[in-house]
Amino acid sequence: ALNYFYAHPKPFSVSDFVEWLGEDVEISRCYMLLRDDCNLVRLNRSVFAGGNVFISENMLFRWWLSFNLRLSYATINNITRKGLSTSMYSLTQQKNWGEVHLSIVEYGERFGFVVSDKLAGQYRFPLAHLFSFLKNTHKSILRKNLSLIKHKEVRALLLRESFPESMNQYLVAMDERSRFILERRHLNADKWTLDMLGAHLGVTRERVRQLEVKAKKRLPVEIILRILVAEFIRGSGRLLFRKHSGIYSYARFLKVFLKIPYEEFSSSGDGDILLFGADRCVDFKQIKNKIDTSSVRENLLKVYPFLLNNDISNLTKFFTKMSHYKMNREERLYLVLKRIGRPAHYGEVANLHNDLFPESPLNFHSVNAVLCSRVGFEKYGIVWVGIKGTYALKEQGYTRPHDGLFDAVERIVTHLYKKTKQPVHFNTIMSELSKERHAPLMSSVNIATSMHDKLERLGNGFFVPCEQNAEIPLQNDEKDLDKIFSSFSE
């Protein structure tokens, strides 16, 4: 009975198992037998009779592999929860399946066939993305081999040796010269050039190229496809690796034989990393202005929507650190102000900067000097908003005041007094200042109005221009100053 249900193409219940036996056996005993069998995967669904449902591990493995292959034809590498639920009909044969079963998804995640993104409500398929680069003839060959790869015994043999050890056993059948060319051109850490091989073999570079093409045609495609699936399973769906000689030769091998691209990213601090299936490179300018990790992650998911969550996290850390390393201090302060999103004192800007960029700390004096510099204004649009030590960004709608706060208050009171012939209230002054300045402080405006020598306070917050005070000189004459100093010295 077990051998029969190992090859059963759809889920079956304990009752189905007992019915097939046709004997008077205990259901509980059959349930324990099925539960403890490593060749079966247990699914708990109330829509099935008995409530406890099982499916063959071989069939579930084949379904996930086949499902990724079907998605590759449509170049789809992520679908919604509803889409995956609908697609499971081909596995469950149940129209009332209704939802994605956790056990089936967990099984697929074990091999990297599927990645669940709970926040976005989607599922990603890194293997489907790799399959999308294959030719249709290669996909047909892979589909024919699904019945063989699904067996655990075959998978165990494929996973026993990693690349290039697994590849060398298939090169034994070739002649010595062809094997030597393929090893040096595609399996060696340091790739030999055609000239180097020609000099070693005593032939021209064109003859080496002809021999290489002939040797590649003799290499069975189904063997290369099996190695691709085996290496994918061995990494549990990972496509991001630290660059070393072995992974680099494997990436070149896939690119030559299966046209699967890869991308290299270099960093002086953390070393180089290599990403399989990267058909386009990240535009560094797109993520350079993304200061926080969530923004970088969101941008990377738009470029690489097929990666595992762990790969996305590692790539996010890599690009975040690399972008911070390459930015100058003006650009870092610009990003800090952009994140704050409002006028901020340079002390607040300095504290946030040092929290976000601990590897490049700045003191308060340096931050203030950068924020009020001409470079900060002309290149990054950093403007002073009229409050002492407070800055914002021009792109957020803030502008530098044309005059000082004392002059602005005097101008507003004088204009409104001449226009209305009535005293001007403090709230009216604040309202008019808000049209010119985006963040006037009430305490600063109160000082400017109360201590202004050209304004007279009438009480209850009303002010009028003081014409007589306007005639008083702001500073003493030099002769008067000499008399004062001489009196002090006496």
Side-chain angles (χ1 to χ4, degrees):
L2 286 175
N3 289 331
Y4 171 80
F5 282 101
Y6 287 163
H8 201 57
K10 62 180 182 179
F12 62 93
S13 64
V14 180
S15 301
D16 296 332
F17 186 80
V18 174
E19 182 180 351
W20 191 91
L21 282 173
E23 299 178 1
D24 188 14
V25 294
E26 296 180 3
I27 296 180
S28 59
R29 182 182 176 186
C30 291
Y31 167 73
M32 294 179 64
L33 177 70
L34 298 175
R35 183 196 63 184
D36 298 335
D37 196 323
C38 62
N39 294 312
L40 299 175
V41 179
R42 177 182 155 192
L43 310 176
N44 289 325
R45 284 293 296 160
S46 59
V47 295
F48 293 100
N52 290 297
V53 184
F54 298 87
I55 189 171
S56 169
E57 193 270 348
N58 289 336
M59 291 301 172
L60 190 55
F61 182 90
R62 179 181 179 178
W63 183 85
W64 273 117
L65 200 57
S66 176
F67 184 60
N68 276 269
L69 190 58
R70 279 184 284 146
L71 290 177
S72 68
Y73 281 100
T75 63
I76 297 175
N77 48 46
N78 62 81
I79 59 176
T80 62
R81 186 180 183 88
K82 183 178 180 181
L84 181 59
S85 174
T86 305
S87 302
M88 280 187 176
Y89 171 72
S90 61
L91 171 69
T92 61
Q93 299 296 316
Q94 291 287 330
K95 294 183 179 180
N96 297 326
W97 183 253
E99 63 181 32
V100 176
H101 197 279
L102 186 61
S103 299
I104 298 178
V105 175
E106 287 178 349
Y107 179 85
E109 288 181 327
R110 188 196 313 171
F111 300 97
F113 291 147
V114 62
V115 186
S116 58
D117 190 346
K118 297 180 181 179
L119 295 178
Q122 290 184 336
Y123 294 88
R124 302 195 294 270
F125 302 90
L127 186 59
H129 178 73
L130 294 184
F131 284 165
S132 65
F133 297 102
L134 301 180
K135 298 179 181 178
N136 289 335
T137 54
H138 292 171
K139 293 180 181 179
S140 300
I141 294 173
L142 182 60
R143 183 174 292 277
K144 293 178 182 178
N145 282 267
L146 288 180
S147 57
L148 180 62
I149 300 175
K150 73 178 183 180
H151 295 291
K152 296 180 70 174
E153 297 78 8
V154 178
R155 273 181 269 154
L157 292 175
L158 290 175
L159 296 173
R160 183 173 299 174
E161 294 179 335
S162 61
F163 182 89
E165 288 81 7
S166 58
M167 198 66 208
N168 287 328
Q169 59 180 322
Y170 300 109
L171 300 178
V172 176
M174 293 186 177
D175 60 277
E176 184 177 353
R177 186 168 61 173
S178 299
R179 184 171 67 251
F180 182 81
I181 292 175
L182 286 180
E183 287 177 350
R184 294 300 183 271
R185 288 285 289 169
H186 305 293
L187 304 181
N188 202 37
D190 297 325
K191 183 178 179 180
W192 284 32
T193 63
L194 295 176
D195 292 326
M196 293 170 62
L197 283 170
H200 182 81
L201 298 175
V203 295
T204 62
R205 66 187 311 274
E206 177 60 23
R207 181 56 181 162
V208 173
R209 189 192 64 80
Q210 295 173 358
L211 292 172
E212 181 188 1
V213 173
K214 188 176 180 180
K216 287 196 298 185
K217 290 182 179 180
R218 292 174 57 188
L219 197 61
V221 178
E222 57 267 17
I223 301 301
I224 302 175
L225 294 174
R226 288 187 192 179
I227 292 176
L228 170 64
V229 174
E231 292 296 325
F232 182 86
I233 295 174
R234 183 178 287 107
S236 299
R238 285 193 305 138
L239 299 181
L240 185 71
F241 297 90
R242 290 289 178 187
K243 184 179 173 182
H244 54 82
S245 58
I247 200 68
Y248 187 56
S249 59
Y250 177 62
R252 290 185 313 182
F253 180 83
L254 291 184
K255 188 173 184 179
V256 171
F257 287 90
L258 298 179
K259 308 302 180 184
I260 296 178
Y262 66 90
E263 191 67 43
E264 301 175 64
F265 303 105
S266 300
S267 173
S268 58
D270 293 341
D272 299 340
I273 57 177
L274 190 144
L275 178 62
F276 286 95
D279 51 347
R280 55 179 176 148
C281 184
V282 175
D283 186 2
F284 186 72
K285 294 180 180 178
Q286 293 181 358
I287 67 170
K288 200 173 182 182
N289 292 337
K290 307 295 183 182
I291 190 170
D292 50 359
T293 303
S294 60
S295 299
V296 177
R297 178 186 174 90
E298 181 182 352
N299 192 272
L300 287 174
L301 275 175
K302 292 180 181 178
V303 183
Y304 304 126
F306 51 86
L307 292 178
L308 297 178
N309 294 328
N310 192 35
D311 284 349
I312 282 290
S313 299
N314 292 333
L315 198 61
T316 300
K317 293 178 182 177
F318 180 86
F319 273 100
T320 303
K321 191 169 184 179
M322 188 173 66
S323 61
H324 290 179
Y325 176 77
K326 291 189 174 182
M327 285 189 292
N328 54 38
R329 59 180 186 176
E330 287 85 1
E331 192 167 9
R332 294 198 302 269
L333 292 176
Y334 158 76
L335 292 177
V336 172
L337 283 173
K338 190 172 183 179
R339 176 168 182 173
I340 294 175
R342 54 172 174 77
H345 191 268
Y346 65 83
E348 179 185 359
V349 176
N351 290 329
L352 182 57
H353 172 274
N354 294 337
D355 290 340
L356 295 173
F357 306 100
E359 69 280 358
S360 304
L362 295 174
N363 55 41
F364 288 0
H365 176 74
S366 299
V367 172
N368 189 32
V370 173
L371 293 177
C372 65
S373 65
R374 181 178 297 179
V375 176
F377 171 72
E378 294 178 352
K379 193 172 182 179
Y380 300 99
I382 301 174
V383 295
W384 175 66
V385 296
I387 305 173
K388 184 177 181 181
T390 305
Y391 302 88
L393 294 179
K394 188 177 181 180
E395 64 186 51
Q396 296 174 344
Y398 297 96
T399 57
R400 182 184 178 90
H402 297 290
D403 47 11
L405 186 59
F406 274 65
D407 295 334
V409 169
E410 178 192 358
R411 173 170 47 80
I412 291 172
V413 173
T414 303
H415 173 73
L416 294 178
Y417 181 74
K418 290 181 178 179
K419 183 178 179 180
T420 62
K421 304 298 183 182
Q422 297 290 331
V424 182
H425 195 267
F426 179 81
N427 293 338
T428 305
I429 300 174
M430 286 291 299
S431 177
E432 293 296 323
L433 278 175
S434 299
K435 299 177 182 179
E436 304 176 0
R437 302 166 182 246
H438 291 270
L441 291 178
M442 183 176 294
S443 58
S444 300
V445 178
N446 190 24
I447 294 174
T449 52
S450 301
M451 301 185 63
H452 206 299
D453 56 357
K454 294 184 179 180
L455 297 180
E456 182 178 353
R457 187 185 184 97
L458 301 181
N460 296 327
F462 286 97
F463 297 88
V464 294
C466 185
E467 297 295 339
Q468 62 273 21
N469 289 339
E471 300 177 357
I472 301 177
L474 295 180
Q475 59 183 5
N476 294 333
D477 190 47
E478 291 183 3
K479 296 180 179 180
D480 296 333
L481 289 174
D482 291 339
K483 293 180 181 180
I484 294 173
F485 289 143
S486 60
S487 63
F488 281 144
S489 61
E490 293 176 358

